[in-house]
Amino acid sequence: MQRDADQAIATCGGDARVAVQALVAMVDHLKAELAERDDAIAALTASVSRGYARGFGERPPPGARDKVLRKPVE
């Protein structure tokens, strides 16, 4: 972690204050991006019916239904 901090400061011309400002700006950018993704997920979740989301809307794989309906051979 120390090496990363030294690298960030070196990237900013040795000015620690500028390095901190750049890191804060990056954190703000990442928070905004995460909020956009959360909004997109919320919109998608709201558009999917609850039954489908629980798995009732999915089709069984081919042949799976036949296995359930067949009686065991004795």
Side-chain angles (χ1 to χ4, degrees), residues 22-45:
L23 292 172
V24 169
M26 179 57 77
V27 168
D28 289 343
H29 170 75
L30 292 173
K31 283 181 182 178
E33 187 176 319
L34 186 59
E36 288 176 14
R37 290 182 185 199
D38 285 345
D39 292 344
I41 290 170
L44 182 61
T45 302

Side-chain angles (χ1 to χ4, degrees), residues 48-60:
V48 175
S49 73
R50 292 185 67 190
Y52 188 80
R54 285 192 307 261
F56 293 122
E58 298 174 10
R59 293 181 179 218

Side-chain angles (χ1 to χ4, degrees), residues 1 34 57 60 66:
M1 191 167 189
L34 186 59
D66 296 336

